[in-house]
Amino acid sequence: MDFSEYKDVFAAEAREHIQSLNENLLQFEQTPDDQELIAEMFRAAHSLKGMAGTMGYTQLADFTHHMENVLDALRNHEIAASQELINTLFDSVDMLELILEEVISFDEVQTDTEGMKERLMQVLAGGLGELEGTEEEDSRRGPKAQSQEPAEEVRLSLNEYDQELLKEAAAQGYSAYWVTVVLKANVMMKSVRAYTVFLALERLGTIVKSQPAAEDIDDERFDDRFAVLLLTHQPASEIEEAVWGVPEIAQVVVAPLDVKEAAVLPAEEPKAAVGVKDRAEPAARRPVNGKSRFAEKYVRVETERLDQLNNLVGELVISRTQVMELAKQLEDAHARAVIAQMDRVTTELQYAAMKLRMVPVKQVFDRFPRMVRDLAKQAGKEVQLQIIGEETELDRSLTNQIGDPLVHLIRNAVDHGLETREERIKAGKPPEGLIRLEARHEGSHVVIEVADDGRGIDTDKVKQKAVEMGLITAEQAGKMTPQEAQGLIFIPGFSTNEEITDVSGRGVGMDAVKAILEAMNGSVELTSTAGRGTTVTLRLPLTLAIIQALLVRTGSVILAIPIQSVRENLRVVPEAVKTVHGERVITLRNEVLPIIDLTKLLGFGAIIHESGMPVIVVEAGAVKAGLMVDELLGQQEVVIKRLSPILGDVKGLAGATVLGDGTVALILDVAAVLNDLTAESK
Amino acid sequence: MGKRVLVTDDTAFMRMTLRNVLEKNGYEVIGEAADGEEAVALYAELRPDVVTMDITMPKMDGITAIKKILEMDPNAKVIVCSAMGQKPMVIEALNAGAKDFLVKPFQPERIIEALRKVSG
């Protein structure tokens, strides 16, 4: 059977399982007694194994099988949660991630997994030996003791439909029981085993609901327990006896259900189970619980289709603007009202389509707890990561790009920002360093902050280094404010830490962070207080599809300059423009700014200099310059349309947009224009 | 006096395994059948307390045999034996009236538990 068409789904789901393994493992390290976490990790590994096997990825399945064995032993209290075990699990999740990506890319595992499998087996064997070797008391905590503990009941939840049914049943003299059944470990064909329990119970009465739902039980999507809601005339003891008559049962709990009481139970809308009866009543269907039954609430859609939708909406927005222009000339009030209505709907549609592209930054943030843990271990520091606002939504393409800068900033924070435990104690700070990762909305922007409470940036050191590197003179350094000195960090190639650990050595520099942010029409700011810590603030547009732009005219062409890069607007008289080293410059508050004649640069014919012309000061990267234009037209929201690929890569232009009157405006790629400038001057 | 069991399997090895486990645990294996037809005939003749029934067998499969046996004796206690991956057939056998199921490879304690619970 050819499964290649399922591969995308497989990949997406497998990655989710690995992410959940990672998260649960992190939590498990904190609370090693949490059985629920272990069970969840086991399920993730188990599902992965099954999925990999179905896809024919036997090596991946085999590797997961080894992990599953360890988790299973942990789940059954056969081995204890040692630090070694936790580390082994962490490493094996890493390897799992690696080989999963290999399988996705090459259809086969290329890394040698034997060593890791060996470690897993050793942890298993070692853990088993340990428990066997310990005193009697410990061995009694094994599976035997477990079966004496009361069964953890599967939680009952009823929807309105169930409650109606219960009332009806009570009126007819039936009693209702919530029967939780726990199967023994290692039951083969557990769905069939559950089926035999169903058969046994149905001899006594009617099963109106099960949790998990019957189809999930049928597909073995349950761990070791399930529960049914049984309506019967028989007493609880009969029910218990009937279940015990079935082999491979570990525990049974029969809880009588007071119908009146049940009716008072909150009708848990999204959490209510899909019952047996619900099958015939699709309207009453509800996901079992929000966590495990995502499928019913969400639909996976190819990103390409979303992009297509957004493009079409963009086209519509442009047509709408044109229609609105035409409507101004209309006499007919009715026609105008209709068009106004279309205008409103289009705006809403545009907003809705934009929302479709939004994903929570959680997708990016999720990898950081694990990363910080590893980095901290490596650096021998104690670090707490505080994540705030992970539900903040951001354009999907931006979340894809924001990961790398954040990785770098967090690495910097752990590596350079935070002090060692001893240093912190000496400085009178809590021994554990704090890194705060926060996302929030600010107007039409999303702000992401990476803050640490570490040593802060030593501005003297920064200045000294800049002088050494010949970036500034000693005299300039003397005049610099701390804020300006901190800005030096963004200059390409700048690094302040003399000893580069293996961690930060790999990352991108602050200059690269800045470049990435600016390429996204965003910005980056840094504030730091010596001894108190450093905060890096990333500011991103909500979406890439619509930007605020300054419209200018050069010659006969209208250009849109993304507002993000605009610093200020000036009016410059010709006399103020000087020529230095063959370059035209102006002096602005003691700063020498090169002037770029946009009309000439883009080849639209020269600007006629008269009494003065508008100059727009723009900044991108570490470069600032003045753009000379003919006329300022104003600020406006524009929908970015990419230039047709037929045109090839047009230098200096980021795209085009259609204005209300149908005129096409070209969107200036400020970074490219300024890069050109620096390249020329070199 | 141990319960009387009829073992049905088309391989001598499996019959032997079952016989060993059962006899070690106090059950009496009163007959061995190598296919469904033989099982039905032996059931009529021996009226055992419990029957273990393989599914895939020559001449007559286990499910048909279960149906025939239950036609003959509605109180017959049959445990169906299957290999992994035969879930739909196990369900069919249970629906036909088999009292329980065993999955190969057999675990002795599982066999005994099933026998004990089914024969009551």
Side-chain angles (χ1 to χ4, degrees), chain A residues 266-285:
Chain A
E268 288 168 75
E269 284 280 330
K271 282 179 180 167
V274 183
V276 179
K277 274 277 163 68
D278 290 2
R279 277 190 183 183
E281 188 83 37
R285 285 193 67 140

Side-chain angles (χ1 to χ4, degrees), chain A residues 259-328:
Chain A
V259 177
K260 277 177 230 143
E261 198 180 297
V264 182
L265 281 177
E268 288 168 75
E269 284 280 330
K271 282 179 180 167
V274 183
V276 179
K277 274 277 163 68
D278 290 2
R279 277 190 183 183
E281 188 83 37
R285 285 193 67 140
R286 298 275 191 282
V288 171
N289 67 49
K291 207 164 181 183
S292 64
R293 303 295 290 141
F294 260 129
E296 299 190 13
K297 209 173 156 194
Y298 297 93
V299 180
R300 279 186 202 281
V301 179
E302 247 177 287
T303 48
E304 234 171 74
R305 292 195 201 177
L306 282 185
D307 290 344
Q308 200 186 0
L309 175 69
N310 270 282
N311 271 333
L312 288 171
V313 170
E315 297 278 354
L316 182 65
V317 168
I318 289 162
S319 302
R320 183 262 317 255
T321 323
Q322 287 166 344
V323 171
M324 296 303 290
E325 285 291 319
L326 289 175
K328 284 180 190 162

Side-chain angles (χ1 to χ4, degrees), chain A residues 345-450:
Chain A
V345 175
T346 310
T347 306
E348 270 169 44
L349 176 66
Q350 184 186 359
Y351 186 68
M354 200 178 88
K355 288 281 281 181
L356 282 183
R357 290 179 58 94
M358 307 285 267
V359 291
V361 287
K362 183 177 192 307
Q363 289 192 356
V364 186
F365 284 10
D366 271 350
R367 63 207 245 211
F368 294 133
R370 172 71 202 276
M371 192 183 91
V372 168
R373 172 198 179 267
D374 290 355
L375 287 174
K377 281 235 154 119
Q378 229 167 316
K381 294 177 183 173
E382 283 173 36
V383 184
Q384 193 206 334
L385 176 68
Q386 187 185 12
I387 292 181
I388 302 168
E390 59 181 5
E391 70 289 342
T392 310
E393 288 190 326
L394 191 61
D395 192 279
R396 180 174 49 78
S397 61
L398 290 176
T399 49
N400 292 342
Q401 293 170 55
I402 198 69
D404 287 345
L406 284 177
V407 165
H408 178 66
L409 293 175
I410 291 172
R411 276 183 174 164
N412 269 349
V414 177
D415 214 33
H416 305 313
L418 295 177
E419 313 90 329
T420 59
R421 183 190 164 87
E422 294 71 32
E423 283 174 309
R424 291 183 67 92
I425 291 172
K426 213 182 285 175
K429 291 178 173 182
E432 194 183 49
L434 179 73
I435 294 177
R436 181 174 52 86
L437 179 60
E438 178 174 356
R440 60 174 185 271
H441 281 293
E442 248 175 41
S444 62
H445 285 88
V446 169
V447 171
I448 300 177
E449 273 181 5
V450 179

Side-chain angles (χ1 to χ4, degrees), chain B residues 17-36:
Chain B
T17 310
L18 280 167
R19 178 184 280 273
N20 268 336
V21 172
L22 291 173
E23 286 180 347
K24 256 188 218 159
N25 286 278
Y27 290 89
E28 190 189 346
V29 177
I30 54 165
E32 286 184 21
D35 61 59

Side-chain angles (χ1 to χ4, degrees), chain A residues 193-344:
Chain A
R193 179 48 68 216
Y195 183 66
T196 58
V197 174
F198 274 58
L199 287 178
L201 288 175
E202 274 174 341
R203 266 175 230 132
L204 303 178
T206 313
I207 295 173
V208 292
K209 183 190 191 77
S210 78
Q211 193 157 320
E215 55 258 49
D216 284 336
I217 292 179
D218 199 31
D219 292 342
E220 311 226 328
R221 281 197 297 266
F222 68 106
D223 192 22
D224 62 345
R225 63 197 62 200
F226 58 91
V228 299
L229 178 57
L230 183 73
L231 299 182
T232 178
H233 291 302
Q234 307 290 331
S237 58
E238 284 287 317
I239 300 170
E240 213 167 300
E241 202 169 302
V243 177
W244 280 118
V246 177
E248 297 184 297
I249 303 299
Q251 289 167 21
V252 187
V253 178
V254 179
L257 208 63
D258 188 330
V259 177
K260 277 177 230 143
E261 198 180 297
V264 182
L265 281 177
E268 288 168 75
E269 284 280 330
K271 282 179 180 167
V274 183
V276 179
K277 274 277 163 68
D278 290 2
R279 277 190 183 183
E281 188 83 37
R285 285 193 67 140
R286 298 275 191 282
V288 171
N289 67 49
K291 207 164 181 183
S292 64
R293 303 295 290 141
F294 260 129
E296 299 190 13
K297 209 173 156 194
Y298 297 93
V299 180
R300 279 186 202 281
V301 179
E302 247 177 287
T303 48
E304 234 171 74
R305 292 195 201 177
L306 282 185
D307 290 344
Q308 200 186 0
L309 175 69
N310 270 282
N311 271 333
L312 288 171
V313 170
E315 297 278 354
L316 182 65
V317 168
I318 289 162
S319 302
R320 183 262 317 255
T321 323
Q322 287 166 344
V323 171
M324 296 303 290
E325 285 291 319
L326 289 175
K328 284 180 190 162
Q329 297 154 27
L330 286 178
E331 301 281 330
D332 185 348
H334 180 62
R336 276 163 61 173
V338 170
I339 289 171
Q341 169 66 10
M342 187 201 75
D343 175 36
R344 278 192 296 277

Side-chain angles (χ1 to χ4, degrees), chain A residues 51-229:
Chain A
M51 289 160 59
T54 313
M55 291 290 290
Y57 302 138
T58 44
Q59 281 169 290
L60 188 62
D62 180 49
F63 185 78
T64 337
H65 178 68
H66 280 81
M67 291 180 66
E68 190 190 326
N69 281 346
V70 171
L71 290 167
D72 190 37
L74 200 56
R75 189 173 65 143
N76 294 324
H77 305 280
E78 288 161 15
I79 55 175
S82 63
Q83 188 59 43
E84 190 202 344
L85 174 121
I86 291 170
N87 286 341
T88 305
L89 284 174
F90 267 123
D91 291 344
S92 62
V93 172
D94 284 346
M95 176 153 288
L96 185 60
E97 196 169 4
L98 179 75
I99 62 179
L100 171 72
E101 295 306 321
E102 284 177 355
V103 155
I104 291 166
S105 307
F106 315 113
D107 279 326
E108 61 174 9
V109 172
Q110 297 182 328
T111 305
D112 183 12
T113 57
E114 289 308 315
M116 196 64 237
K117 282 196 284 195
E118 188 61 37
R119 271 182 68 193
L120 284 166
M121 283 189 275
Q122 273 169 6
V123 166
L124 189 59
L128 287 174
E130 226 171 79
L131 271 193
E132 276 164 19
T134 47
E135 294 162 34
E136 258 177 68
E137 206 182 317
D138 273 351
S139 61
R140 259 194 268 126
R141 256 188 248 148
K144 263 185 231 159
Q146 190 195 359
S147 62
Q148 283 158 11
E149 287 162 19
E152 190 192 322
E153 279 180 62
V154 176
R155 215 161 51 90
L156 164 69
S157 48
L158 298 171
N159 57 32
E160 279 172 38
Y161 173 78
D162 299 327
Q163 293 179 359
E164 273 310 306
L165 200 78
L166 278 182
K167 274 187 220 159
E168 188 75 14
Q172 291 177 25
Y174 281 96
S175 309
Y177 294 94
W178 186 242
V179 185
T180 300
V181 179
V182 184
L183 300 182
K184 281 186 185 166
N186 308 319
V187 168
M188 286 202 269
M189 281 192 198
K190 59 182 180 178
S191 59
V192 182
R193 179 48 68 216
Y195 183 66
T196 58
V197 174
F198 274 58
L199 287 178
L201 288 175
E202 274 174 341
R203 266 175 230 132
L204 303 178
T206 313
I207 295 173
V208 292
K209 183 190 191 77
S210 78
Q211 193 157 320
E215 55 258 49
D216 284 336
I217 292 179
D218 199 31
D219 292 342
E220 311 226 328
R221 281 197 297 266
F222 68 106
D223 192 22
D224 62 345
R225 63 197 62 200
F226 58 91
V228 299
L229 178 57

